[in-house]
Amino acid sequence: MIVLKFGGTSVGSVENFRKVADIVNQVREDRIVVLSAMSGVTNTLVEIAHHLKTGNKERAIFLIESLDRKYREVARDLLPDAAMQEKAYHFLETHNALLNRIASEDFTESSEKEILAQGELVSTQLFHYYLESINVSSELLSALDFMRIDRNGEPDADRIRQNLRKVLQSDSGNRTYITQGYICRNPLNEIDNLRRGGSDYSASLIGAAADARQIQIWTDIDGMHNNDPRYVENTFSVGELSFDEAAELAYFGAKILHPQSIIPAKENNIPVLLKNTFRPDSPGTLIHQGAEVRSIRAVAAKDNITAIKIKSYRMLMAYGFLKNVFEVFEDHKTAIDMITTSEVAVSLTIDDTTKLAQIKKGLKGFGTIEVDSDLSIICIAGDISQNKKGVTASIFNSLKDIPIRMISYGGSNYNLSFLVKTSDKLAVLNLLNEGLFKDLAQRDLAVV
Ligand code: ADP
Ligand code: ASP
Ligand code: MG
């Protein structure tokens, strides 16, 4: 069994749906195809929900109708015969009626989530019809029947496995299943999701639940690049990564992967192959346990970081201080990304500021609190173990003119991260590209 996940751009047009089908049809083993919504659709659904929430129903209906027109055009151009088109139009009518019904009712958080789930439900149905129209038999599985999150919004791996087992048939070596990325049900049995970009996470969870041989993430770029191609020129695709390196890069901002998506694959030792739908022959990036160790693999940046500094002389020689500080964050279910300590202060960063006011209140008794926002974590992934000479010097030499707010090094052997102002991020990413990937390539440390 392999899992193939295609992102929004890969299913963003009629032509691209066809490309996806070509790729899927070349697989010679059972496969689960996980699809995102067509590109732009989830953003439109977010907008629809926003307008309904803020009482602008007219605008919401306008967007619902424009989505409907777009889908109808896709159905018309994708599906060759009239009977098939009729089937698709009928499905789209029901879908449109559902959105209109939600729009006419009182708006709740669960109606918002139901709206957000519609993009994947439509793209998978259209793809299913398309495969049928080219005589490829496939089964459409509703992710709502097997994907589950728990009370904390985290996937419930055991239930997903049990549920998925029930819907998968015995191996035939040539079965095609199609299902939705991103969407799931929560413990109240309501429709929910794995947060934006969550289809990668779905693919990895499904791969783990189905004991897949490989998880393939097909997107619009030829694998993980050494730096963020949105901000830096002359980036290049990295041939392989260890699970740990990939997990760090995903968590710290490499948009090609949802932040948590590597974890289920790593836990189950399932290789993940990142591939380009538009250049299927390019090798892409293989994420696996046996990746050869290299000094510096890649750089990523995570924005919207807030730093909190707690300064207190009570920390001097005291034990239990950090535990008490961490408890405040635990109480407010807020994850900490980076930490540095000195004798009399501790600085830490968070990216979820929804509970910031409560956290500040909770920390009040501990000392002076300083909060800084608009920061970015820059993560350098690779084998940056402590006994390697020169690597940290190269990193900081490249950044000699940039003020650095925090540094985290030695927590693991494959990550060095530091905190800068977001306004310096572009400069930092470009300086590192110049400094690290040119220098280190010459010293045979970074070329892949
Ligand atoms: P999909 O819709 O297929 O899930 P995404 O837009 O979520 O695709 O992710 C692919 C995009 O990630 C690329 O087009 C690229 O702009 C961006 N990206 C950011 N950092 C990296 C990186 N280090 N390597 C590759 N792509 C990256
Ligand atoms: N469609 C969802 C989003 O745009 C999930 C995904 O594409 O991964 O966030
Ligand atoms: Mg994505």
Side-chain angles (χ1 to χ4, degrees), residues 172-386:
S172 80
N174 193 28
R175 271 187 220 283
T176 304
Y177 298 100
I178 305 168
T179 195
Q180 302 83 24
Y182 179 58
I183 65 173
C184 59
R185 283 193 191 273
N186 62 28
L188 301 173
N189 214 32
E190 294 166 342
I191 296 179
D192 213 314
N193 63 63
L194 300 174
R195 298 189 273 273
R196 294 303 306 271
S199 296
D200 303 327
Y201 202 10
S202 302
S204 184
L205 290 160
I206 290 169
D211 293 326
R213 181 181 67 76
Q214 190 177 64
I215 297 159
Q216 301 183 350
I217 308 279
W218 290 81
T219 181
D220 56 5
I221 190 165
D222 50 349
M224 178 73 79
H225 277 214
N226 69 312
N227 204 327
D228 197 321
R230 292 168 300 174
Y231 308 115
V232 179
E233 276 177 29
N234 302 323
T235 60
F236 54 84
S237 166
V238 175
E240 59 171 1
L241 290 169
S242 68
F243 284 118
D244 290 325
E245 290 166 337
E248 298 278 3
L249 289 166
Y251 187 74
F252 287 114
K255 189 188 171 230
I256 185 170
L257 287 172
H258 175 280
Q260 287 153 290
S261 56
I262 287 304
I263 300 160
K266 176 183 148 78
E267 282 174 356
N268 293 276
N269 193 19
I270 303 171
V272 179
L273 182 62
L274 308 180
K275 291 278 285 180
N276 188 344
T277 306
F278 310 103
R279 287 180 58 203
D281 294 333
S282 130
T285 301
L286 183 65
I287 302 166
H288 64 138
Q289 208 174 36
E292 200 191 318
V293 171
R294 290 290 169 102
S295 250
I296 293 195
R297 288 269 196 211
V299 175
K302 182 175 176 180
D303 296 337
N304 298 318
I305 300 295
T306 297
I308 303 170
K309 188 193 271 174
I310 305 133
K311 202 169 165 195
S312 166
Y313 286 94
R314 276 178 36 215
M315 228 182 121
L316 263 175
M317 312 278 290
Y319 57 83
F321 184 86
L322 287 177
K323 173 178 166 282
N324 296 335
V325 166
F326 292 153
E327 259 171 18
V328 175
F329 289 84
E330 194 186 326
D331 290 348
H332 298 291
K333 292 200 173 121
T334 301
I336 297 170
D337 286 331
M338 267 175 83
I339 310 168
T340 57
T341 59
S342 81
E343 205 45 47
V344 291
V346 52
S347 274
L348 31 85
T349 69
I350 58 172
D351 70 342
D352 175 2
T353 50
T354 40
K355 300 282 166 59
L356 183 60
Q358 291 96 315
I359 290 172
K360 272 167 73 179
K361 211 166 151 198
L363 292 172
K364 229 171 179 175
F366 292 103
T368 341
I369 316 290
E370 276 173 38
V371 177
D372 252 347
S373 46
D374 299 323
L375 301 168
S376 296
I377 294 179
I378 310 290
C379 160
I380 301 179
D383 175 30
I384 314 174
S385 40
Q386 290 89 328

